[in-house]
Amino acid sequence: MNRRTFLQVGVSGAGGLLIAFTVGCKDKDAPAPAPAPTPGTGDAPAPARPAGADLNAWIRIDPDDTVTMLVPEAEMGQGIHTGVAMILAEELDADWATVRAEHAPADGAKYGRQSTGGSTSTRGNWDALRAAGATARAMLIAAAAQQWSVPAAELTTEPGAVVHAASKRRARYGELAAAAAKLPPPAPDTITPRAPGTYRLIGKPTKRLDQRPKITGAATYGLDVRLPGMLFAVVARPPVVGGKLVKFDGTAARAIPGVKDVLQIPTGVAVVATSTWAALKGREALSVTWDDGAHAALTSEQISKTLRDLAPGGVTVKQQGDAPDAVKRARTKLAAAYEVPYLAHVTMEPLNATCDVEDGRCTLWVGTQTPSGCQKTAAEILAIPPEQVTVHSTFLGGGFGRRSQTDYVAEAVHVARSMKGPVQLVWTREDDTRGGFYRPAALSLCEGALDADGWPTAWVQRIAAPSILERFGPLEGGVDATAVEGVENLPYALPHLLVTYARPDLPISTWFWRSVGSSQNAWSTECFLDELARAGGKDPLEVRRRLLKDKPRHLAVLEAAAARAGWGAPLPEGRARGLAVHESFGSVVAEVAVVSIDAGAPRVHRVTCAIDCGTAVNPAQIEAQMESGILYGLSAALHGAIHLDGGKVRESNFHDYPVVRMREAPRIDTVIVASTDPPGGVGEPSTPPVAPAVCNALLALTGKPVRALPIRLG
Amino acid sequence: MAITLTVNGAAREVDAPPDMPLLWVLRDLLGLTGTKYGCGVAQCRACTVHVDGEAVQSCQLPVSAAAGKSVTTIEGLGAPKLHVLQEAWLAEDVAQCGWCQPGQLMSAAALLARNSAPTDDDIDLAMSGNICRCGTYNRIRRAIKRAAGVPDAGGTP
Ligand code: FES
Ligand code: FES
């Protein structure tokens, strides 16, 4: 337990107990380093921060017994509000039927840093959440002890109430909340969280708290914000990467009924109107001259060539033994190049932000993974103190990393400062596909060697990929940690391993995309291992068992997935299984895919998934996240590619950037491996293994490796 | 131009250019934001509503074509009592981010209205127009079958 957990006690608006505490600080287990954010870019993984500097989460117990958890993390579909509320409610011993979860406000500097990414929401805050819940419980007990003049040690709780068994007295939390609010919080070292065997809520499949508004249309997302007098804006941006505005003529646009204004902002030309439709019509009517800049000839082929040219000359990231020499001297060896394209995030709700700037104050309504980043971005643009910026966090129609950027928020601020009243800045799907930040393209040149018995002994992987982290400052040792994650820590016991990294200079903005570097590195490593297994005449499961002897978590999920999927059992004609295992964000996931070929394209029938995510807080949401992450990864494996032609992104909407639909969606079975370790991430770790599991099934089916994504069968 | 239509049982008059898609009329002029925008080009069906009982992509329907017709949106589907599909959605804990779900529900409601016992193929056919980026398809399939009272065999090996 973290002895430095910082808490403050107060009285809630309704006269109950309010406990404020801090979550979401530095996650020392995060694979990526913690760079400092730069202006206008939103937040990077959290920098270290003095304990207790910011309070950003609250437990509120009102006299009517309602327990409200105000959660700083963004609810973008991952069920985090429910998960956080469960942990708090467990330690508080709350009656689950009375528990609500809401997004905590980012209102001025008194609130702490808020950022959701890296699957850290549960795993980074386990201790802090448990301590806060247990503290609240101790205070309610202390209040009852005072009222009844009995020693606190004689009191226990049952869900939602303090009880004194000897005198058969019982008081509901709501009845005690006001008295508890007047007590000082107990010393942190007197607080003992529950022992894992005694959990009542943790580990129990629990329905999400936010379902009902989402199925009735009542939930408010950023794009659903409606304010009196609100206008709508869209922006015309340079079509070529790195292009600039030369001049524009807004006369025709202004003539469109409903168009109120046409104005220049740093990223292009904004059209402001009384409806989204009028703004779109106005944008169509704009006449704009762009300077295409230096990259007007850039193509995907050139990017590929750059990666191929640079990959052999990278800096050393990891070296054990002498892998190049071992490969050179081996009788059986293999070389393969694995390449992936840039990918867009494509959140289902296109990017948007609503902003009102008035009298030196700024108010934002936005679905964001980083309310504090939005606050900072707005404050910098307007040159006002952060406490003059209020951020109302809405539901997010998907985040996947994209909403931890604040570029779209900055645009809203720039437009709103020139207008009277609130403005909703809307990105169309085309803007979203073309306007942005992408998962980096990447190339891995792999070489491997087998011993005389056909077991792998040496592995060389030379990676070339644009850097995500360089925007936060110089890379330590010239290596982008996100570009090598999953390779640098390859789990396989090999006497010889060499990993290198080369950073190309490319003008495409890159950003964190669900599971980050693992999204491509699990694919290259797990596919190459299957190629080596095949070259050595070994079963893919056998090879992994042997090379993972010292990795009990990997082995456990591998065995669990293989057993559940019936590894080795006969399948209907034309189908084959493929396997992959990968660790990311503190969790290990193995997946088995069953694949056939239908009209020249892969068809995935079933994916069996096993996860070790430490303590499984909410098994129902873990299952949902496994399904979600698998289909997200499958969309990329089967379809995802952002191409550049003449410096322009070729893709624009779902017709040319397709994603998995119902008819392509495999059935998914999930096994959760029991563990009492602190919780690991669940929002991302199921994404990396799916592409290699599918490609390995195709290798088994056709004998031909897949070495480029998206999968195109020749 | 003043256009009259019935939305969720109530007569509404809107002043909109005749080519404005029903989607933006609902969202921006009538404040009915339950109907979602996802693509604007008939690719995702986040914008699905019922017009005279038929599932329609509201991003593709000029409001003039809805004049005099009866439009049902997600806000009207479950009023005053939740639709059997919405109950099934709750039971299967379907929604993640939730952005696509109003469209999914409107498509599913149209499916059940014409086919009370849909097979997997029927569901594939009727629901593959609706995109969900959060990957809730398996739950949607189960929820539709639950609402229809059709057992789910769980797919092939
Ligand atoms: S918004 Fe209408 S089909 Fe996508
Ligand atoms: S629930 Fe998020 S897009 Fe479907």
Side-chain angles (χ1 to χ4, degrees):
Chain A
M1 178 93 334
N2 177 6
R3 304 280 167 207
R4 283 162 56 234
T5 303
F6 186 80
L7 282 153
Q8 254 176 31
V9 176
V11 183
S12 79
L17 171 65
L18 186 69
I19 293 184
F21 59 104
T22 303
V23 298
C25 9
K26 194 176 139 217
D27 176 12
K28 62 181 178 345
D29 300 325
T38 41
T41 60
D43 280 350
R49 198 167 42 84
D54 320 286
L55 301 167
N56 60 5
W58 290 263
I59 303 173
R60 192 175 70 211
I61 303 171
D62 285 325
D64 69 353
D65 288 332
T66 307
V67 177
T68 308
M69 311 300 187
L70 291 128
V71 184
E73 283 93 359
E75 180 52 72
M76 47 191 166
Q78 79 281 44
I80 191 59
H81 284 189
T82 307
V84 166
M86 283 173 72
I87 298 171
L88 289 167
E90 178 74 60
E91 294 297 340
L92 174 60
D93 206 5
D95 174 0
W96 184 246
T98 66
V99 174
R100 311 275 173 274
E102 282 173 22
H103 198 289
D107 188 4
K110 69 180 159 152
Y111 299 120
R113 187 172 187 289
Q114 300 179 337
S115 184
T116 310
S119 291
T120 56
S121 307
T122 307
R123 71 191 180 110
N125 299 324
W126 178 237
D127 285 347
L129 293 171
R130 294 206 302 161
T135 300
R137 176 175 174 271
M139 293 183 67
L140 293 161
I141 288 178
Q146 213 171 52
Q147 257 173 40
W148 299 334
S149 304
V150 296
E154 287 180 14
L155 300 179
T156 55
T157 57
E158 57 189 42
V162 179
V163 287
H164 185 233
S167 62
K168 298 214 169 60
R169 271 178 292 193
R170 186 176 185 282
R172 287 178 292 103
Y173 284 177
E175 296 169 326
L176 297 166
K182 297 194 187 89
L183 300 174
D189 52 9
T190 62
I191 298 297
T192 322
R194 281 168 177 265
T198 65
Y199 294 147
R200 187 173 52 84
L201 294 169
I202 291 174
K204 192 171 138 227
T206 303
K207 293 238 161 69
R208 303 171 61 111
L209 293 168
D210 58 354
Q211 282 290 356
R212 205 183 174 91
K214 289 180 173 177
I215 57 144
T216 56
T220 302
Y221 299 79
L223 204 58
D224 300 338
V225 169
R226 292 292 175 267
L227 300 163
M230 188 181 93
L231 296 171
F232 299 83
V234 295
V235 176
R237 302 177 189 81
V240 171
V241 173
K244 297 249 169 328
L245 177 70
V246 176
K247 61 179 175 19
F248 70 95
D249 180 352
T251 317
R254 286 174 192 280
I256 303 281
V259 171
K260 293 285 185 194
D261 207 350
V262 178
L263 53 115
Q264 184 175 345
I265 62 169
T267 53
V269 182
V271 180
V272 189
T274 52
S275 70
T276 315
W277 179 247
L280 289 170
K281 296 287 262 188
R283 183 168 73 170
E284 270 169 38
L286 276 180
S287 126
V288 188
T289 310
W290 304 106
D291 170 3
D292 287 344
H295 309 296
L298 187 68
T299 64
S300 291
E301 290 67 32
Q302 277 172 12
I303 291 168
S304 261
K305 184 173 181 309
T306 305
L307 298 180
R308 261 176 283 142
D309 289 348
L310 287 176
V315 297
T316 299
V317 179
K318 171 93 178 228
Q319 186 167 26
Q320 67 200 29
D322 189 342
D325 183 63
V327 170
K328 203 184 306 159
R329 288 189 290 106
R331 287 250 301 281
T332 316
K333 60 185 97 181
L334 194 65
Y338 296 93
E339 190 173 0
V340 297
Y342 288 100
L343 292 175
H345 299 76
V346 195
T347 59
M348 200 67 220
E349 176 199 11
L351 300 174
N352 64 86
T354 303
C355 183
D356 192 4
V357 180
E358 212 190 339
D359 302 333
R361 284 200 55 83
C362 174
T363 311
L364 283 163
W365 295 260
V366 59
T368 174
Q369 292 173 248
T370 175
S372 58
C374 294
Q375 187 184 49
K376 185 165 177 284
T377 297
E380 276 167 9
I381 292 169
L382 299 169
I384 57 174
E387 53 268 29
Q388 298 297 104
V389 181
T390 301
V391 181
H392 298 287
S393 283
T394 64
F395 279 118
L396 283 71
F400 314 130
R402 184 64 180 86
R403 284 192 158 96
S404 60
Q405 257 294 342
T406 59
D407 54 330
Y408 59 101
V409 179
E411 285 186 337
V413 175
H414 280 294
V415 176
R417 74 189 302 185
S418 306
M419 303 299 299
K420 236 190 118 43
V423 178
Q424 180 163 94
L425 186 117
V426 180
W427 286 41
T428 62
R429 175 61 58 202
E430 290 80 5
D431 297 339
D432 184 280
T433 309
R434 292 185 163 156
F437 286 85
Y438 301 100
R439 195 286 303 271
L443 175 76
S444 272
L445 301 179
C446 295
E447 288 177 87
L450 305 177
D451 67 14
D453 299 323
W455 300 108
T457 56
W459 184 301
V460 179
Q461 186 154 353
R462 298 185 183 278
I463 298 168
S467 169
I468 297 171
L469 300 179
E470 65 182 357
R471 67 174 54 244
F472 303 111
L475 299 175
E476 215 182 298
V479 179
D480 184 312
T482 67
V484 299
E485 62 192 354
V487 187
E488 175 257 335
N489 53 337
L490 194 72
Y492 299 114
L494 295 162
H496 305 284
L497 174 66
L498 176 67
V499 181
T500 69
Y501 169 71
R503 187 195 61 84
D505 233 333
L506 291 163
I508 322 288
S509 302
T510 57
W511 194 242
F512 308 100
W513 185 97
R514 196 175 193 169
S515 82
V516 198
S518 285
S519 70
Q520 71 262 18
N521 290 336
W523 173 70
S524 58
T525 55
E526 287 298 278
C527 286
F528 191 54
L529 188 72
D530 262 45
E531 289 203 45
L532 290 173
R534 195 175 177 85
K538 308 291 187 213
D539 176 79
L541 179 59
E542 275 312 307
V543 171
R544 286 178 176 82
R545 277 184 181 139
R546 182 182 170 102
L547 299 181
L548 294 170
K549 270 202 307 283
D550 303 326
K551 295 277 179 183
R553 297 180 75 202
H554 286 73
L555 269 184
V557 293
L558 198 59
E559 298 295 354
R564 176 70 175 267
W567 185 262
L571 278 171
E573 179 67 21
R575 296 187 186 188
R577 292 189 186 89
L579 176 66
V581 59
H582 189 79
E583 176 177 5
S584 59
F585 308 97
S587 298
V588 192
V589 176
E591 289 169 25
V592 175
V594 176
V595 181
S596 68
I597 295 174
D598 184 10
R603 178 159 168 69
V604 184
H605 300 272
R606 184 173 287 278
V607 175
T608 306
C609 158
I611 180 167
D612 172 356
C613 56
T615 300
V617 174
N618 186 354
Q621 279 320 301
I622 294 169
E623 266 181 44
Q625 282 309 297
M626 294 304 100
E627 293 164 18
S628 177
I630 286 168
L631 293 185
Y632 199 78
L634 189 61
S635 284
L638 297 179
H639 306 296
I642 288 291
H643 292 93
L644 281 114
D645 289 326
K648 296 178 188 167
V649 171
R650 185 193 300 167
E651 289 73 20
S652 61
N653 206 316
F654 289 116
H655 64 284
D656 54 8
Y657 195 85
V659 298
V660 164
R661 293 170 180 271
M662 174 72 86
R663 61 170 174 265
E664 290 178 306
R667 294 299 185 123
I668 295 168
D669 304 310
T670 297
V671 184
I672 300 170
V673 173
S675 166
T676 54
D677 289 345
V682 299
E684 297 171 270
S686 74
T687 298
V690 68
V694 169
C695 292
N696 288 340
L698 288 167
L699 176 65
L701 204 54
T702 65
K704 282 200 242 92
V706 178
R707 290 175 176 170
L709 293 182
I711 301 168
R712 294 291 173 260
L713 299 176
Chain B
M1 188 180 125
I3 294 167
T4 311
L5 62 168
T6 304
V7 182
N8 299 329
R12 305 291 295 256
E13 192 182 288
V14 292
D15 181 20
D19 63 341
M20 188 188 281
L22 178 61
L23 171 67
W24 301 117
V25 171
L26 291 170
R27 289 183 54 83
D28 295 356
L29 304 188
L30 295 176
L32 289 169
T33 55
T35 303
K36 304 304 188 194
Y37 163 69
C39 71
V41 295
Q43 286 287 320
C44 77
R45 297 200 193 171
C47 64
T48 304
V49 299
H50 295 173
V51 177
D52 288 347
E54 292 289 320
V56 167
Q57 294 152 64
S58 64
C59 72
Q60 297 301 301
L61 190 75
V63 63
S64 54
K69 303 213 164 141
S70 172
V71 177
T72 305
T73 70
I74 188 69
E75 290 92 341
L77 181 74
K81 201 164 128 290
L82 286 189
H83 189 278
V84 55
L85 280 164
Q86 288 168 312
E87 296 284 5
W89 247 243
L90 291 178
E92 296 290 348
D93 218 12
V94 172
Q96 291 195 22
C97 86
W99 187 255
C100 73
Q101 300 299 342
Q104 305 276 5
L105 280 155
M106 297 311 284
S107 291
L111 166 65
L112 282 197
R114 61 174 190 272
N115 180 349
S116 59
T119 62
D120 277 330
D121 284 347
D122 296 337
I123 293 173
D124 281 349
L125 199 66
M127 300 301 295
S128 284
N130 288 77
I131 289 175
C132 173
R133 271 302 263 169
C134 298
T136 62
Y137 299 123
N138 278 294
R139 285 157 196 265
I140 291 171
R141 185 186 299 279
R142 286 204 301 269
I144 292 173
K145 290 188 176 180
R146 176 188 281 264
V150 182
D152 179 30
T156 56

